[in-house]
Amino acid sequence: MADRTGTQHCYNCIQGGYQARAENLAFQMLGDRALAEDATQEAFLSAYRNFGSFRGANLRAWLLRIVANRCRDMLRAGKSRPTISLEQPSEAGDAGPTPTLDLPSGEESLEERALRNELGAVIRQGLQSLSEERRSTVHLVDVQGFSYEEAAHVLGANIGTIRSRLARGRAEMRDYLQQHQELLPERFRRT
Amino acid sequence: MRLFRRHAKHIGLQELSGFVDDRLAVNRKRQVEAHLESCGLCREGLEGLQYTVGLLKQAPMLAPRRRLVMPDAPAAVVARPMIISWAYGAAASVAVLLAVVLGADLMGALPGGGSDFAIEDSAFSDDQFSSAVPMEAEMADFEETESSGEPVMEAQVASKTLAEEAQESEPPKEAREARSTTEALEEAQEDEGTHILWRALEGVLAALLALLLGVALWRIRRSRRPTP
């Protein structure tokens, strides 16, 4: 499929490359894994149909903006069930395998991986205590490594709003982590 | 009271967050750094934010439980905005060079005579030059047979004396003809050598052009090959 500039792209390669990012953002916005998967799938279909409108500048920001829009539509329609605990077992209709976690590199040991997974669980719980807007912003900038400008594009907000949401979200996360130090693996605790 | 004034204006949360991301203007950054040196409260706030951001950056993302792949996605094509590549540039250069050489060859502007037409022309003019002397002699014979009378006889005597003088000063006609023939032969051999060289150059350029066009076509076919 071709974008607006005529450059050809491989659809399945794009989907494979950005699915994890898209699903994580959708999960942060919707708070439900199954809904996040649905939103991601619908967003990718929408991206496929409208790929001709992509200007070829920043693919990940463009794709994740579609995902964010789809999630907002679902939130408006009242489909989401926000802030479910990740510690609770899955419901009957969500009997998929246990969520696996991404590895940053193949050199990570099993122990390191387990520690990072523990950290990830605490971080996700902490993020769930934030408002949807702050959670999405903190997730995009600090977890996914987006710039302020990219986050602003994805979430449809201006830079000032992103800066404000990010500062407040970080401060809330700082308070949460200070209160839940015992949940963190020892090496991640603040000395 | 003095201490309170000193720390009355703490760094705001947004600025501390921006400081963590190095998003402050240079002047403001210096002011914040100066303030942090003297304000333990702001320093503590900054350290808390840095710690939080550090943990967030280390947090792993959830991996998808199932991969979304569209089985009937249209034939994917690798994004390779080439078309103008080195092969095209080289082929174009060689084509221009070949056109220049061929054009000069056809116009006979190449050193050594160049084209076959030019050689034929020069050969023709040499023949003309070599046959010029017998024609003059024929004309003289014709005038001799046609004309009569004393003035003519006097003129004949005068021309004879002139011819004898000319014969004394110039080499004999046979020797002159032989020398001009050998010179012409040497010249023709030299021209033929240069001519062969130009022909070889044209052939090499044509072969190079064909090769480069082949490479360019191969690159186009490869770039349009669908990905698995």
Side-chain angles (χ1 to χ4, degrees):
Chain A
M1 55 185 184
D3 62 21
R4 198 187 243 182
T5 62
T7 308
Q8 297 287 329
H9 297 266
C10 159
Y11 176 75
N12 282 334
C13 305
I14 291 171
Q15 191 153 310
Y18 293 99
Q19 186 187 344
R21 284 179 181 278
E23 262 189 41
N24 274 269
L25 174 65
F27 176 69
Q28 292 302 332
M29 292 183 77
L30 299 171
D32 184 281
R33 195 85 198 268
L35 281 175
E37 287 170 352
D38 290 349
T40 304
Q41 190 159 13
E42 287 170 23
F44 272 114
L45 272 172
S46 175
Y48 175 70
R49 288 194 196 106
N50 300 297
F51 202 76
S53 66
F54 172 54
R55 290 177 188 174
N58 189 336
L59 185 58
R60 73 173 185 175
W62 182 78
L63 277 172
L64 262 64
R65 185 183 175 119
I66 296 172
V67 173
N69 286 341
R70 182 67 202 128
C71 290
R72 270 196 290 270
D73 290 346
M74 290 172 86
L75 283 170
R76 268 189 229 113
K79 273 186 175 180
S80 70
R81 293 165 291 170
T83 60
I84 58 158
S85 170
L86 286 167
E87 299 304 306
Q88 288 172 359
S90 307
E91 292 169 22
D94 189 21
T98 311
T100 52
L101 297 160
D102 274 346
L103 300 178
S105 72
E107 294 171 1
E108 192 175 37
S109 68
L110 280 174
E111 189 186 1
E112 186 77 12
R113 180 182 171 182
L115 284 173
R116 275 177 24 86
N117 286 350
E118 271 185 63
L119 170 70
V122 176
I123 295 281
R124 273 191 295 280
Q125 274 195 320
L127 285 172
Q128 290 296 325
S129 68
L130 272 58
S131 70
E132 183 271 315
E133 288 172 339
R134 290 180 190 170
R135 186 167 62 234
S136 311
T137 309
V138 170
H139 172 77
L140 277 177
V141 175
D142 287 338
V143 179
Q144 296 217 25
F146 278 52
S147 67
Y148 287 19
E149 289 75 16
E150 283 178 311
H153 180 76
V154 169
L155 299 174
N158 59 47
I159 300 278
T161 308
I162 292 295
R163 199 178 287 135
S164 166
R165 284 183 193 168
L166 187 64
R168 289 176 191 285
R170 280 172 172 176
E172 284 181 34
M173 278 302 289
R174 178 187 61 194
D175 296 343
Y176 177 88
L177 290 170
Q178 275 172 356
Q179 288 167 16
H180 296 84
Q181 283 284 303
E182 74 284 354
L183 296 177
L184 288 169
E186 199 170 343
R187 57 168 280 207
F188 293 115
R189 287 180 198 161
R190 201 175 171 193
T191 51
Chain B
M1 188 68 185
R2 198 176 162 191
L3 228 159
F4 176 75
R5 268 188 197 162
R6 194 179 166 196
H7 297 297
K9 204 171 181 185
H10 291 295
I11 307 295
L13 188 61
Q14 271 196 45
E15 281 196 313
L16 275 183
S17 177
F19 185 81
V20 170
D21 293 330
D22 198 17
R23 302 264 314 187
L24 296 184
V26 181
N27 286 343
R28 186 58 194 151
K29 190 182 169 187
R30 281 193 200 129
Q31 288 172 353
V32 169
E33 280 170 346
H35 179 83
L36 285 170
E37 279 178 19
S38 60
C39 180
L41 197 64
C42 288
R43 204 164 47 243
E44 196 181 324
L46 176 70
E47 283 167 6
L49 278 183
Q50 285 173 331
Y51 164 75
T52 306
V53 171
L55 284 190
L56 285 165
K57 284 188 193 302
Q58 290 181 69
M61 285 199 292
L62 293 168
R65 291 186 291 196
R66 59 193 162 93
R67 194 167 174 223
L68 304 172
V69 174
M70 193 181 279
D72 54 348
V77 177
V78 179
R80 218 180 279 171
M82 48 149 298
I83 297 306
I84 293 178
S85 70
W86 63 268
Y88 285 91
S93 308
V94 171
V96 168
L97 195 60
L98 183 62
V100 167
V101 171
L102 278 174
D105 191 7
L106 285 173
M107 291 169 72
L110 293 177
S115 80
D116 294 333
F117 295 111
I119 284 176
E120 281 164 16
D121 287 348
S122 66
F124 179 67
S125 62
D126 285 348
D127 290 346
Q128 269 188 326
F129 175 75
S130 60
S131 65
V133 177
M135 272 182 78
E136 276 174 14
E138 278 170 20
M139 283 297 287
D141 291 346
F142 178 73
E143 281 171 7
E144 199 177 323
T145 50
E146 286 292 314
S147 61
S148 59
E150 281 177 6
V152 176
M153 285 298 286
E154 283 172 12
Q156 277 180 346
V157 170
S159 67
K160 256 186 186 176
T161 51
L162 277 173
E164 279 166 7
E165 281 173 13
Q167 270 185 348
E168 283 168 8
S169 63
E170 286 178 17
K173 189 180 170 186
E174 290 79 13
R176 209 173 65 227
E177 278 178 5
R179 198 174 63 194
S180 67
T181 312
T182 49
E183 278 172 8
L185 268 172
E186 279 171 8
E187 218 169 278
Q189 278 174 349
E190 205 174 297
D191 286 354
E192 202 174 342
T194 321
H195 179 69
I196 287 168
L197 274 178
W198 282 114
R199 279 280 176 274
L201 178 65
E202 284 165 12
V204 167
L205 284 176
L208 192 60
L209 179 63
L211 180 72
L212 288 169
L213 284 175
V215 170
L217 285 173
W218 174 72
R219 282 172 67 91
I220 289 176
R221 284 173 67 94
R222 200 185 60 164
S223 70
R224 289 187 180 166
R225 195 175 298 155
T227 51

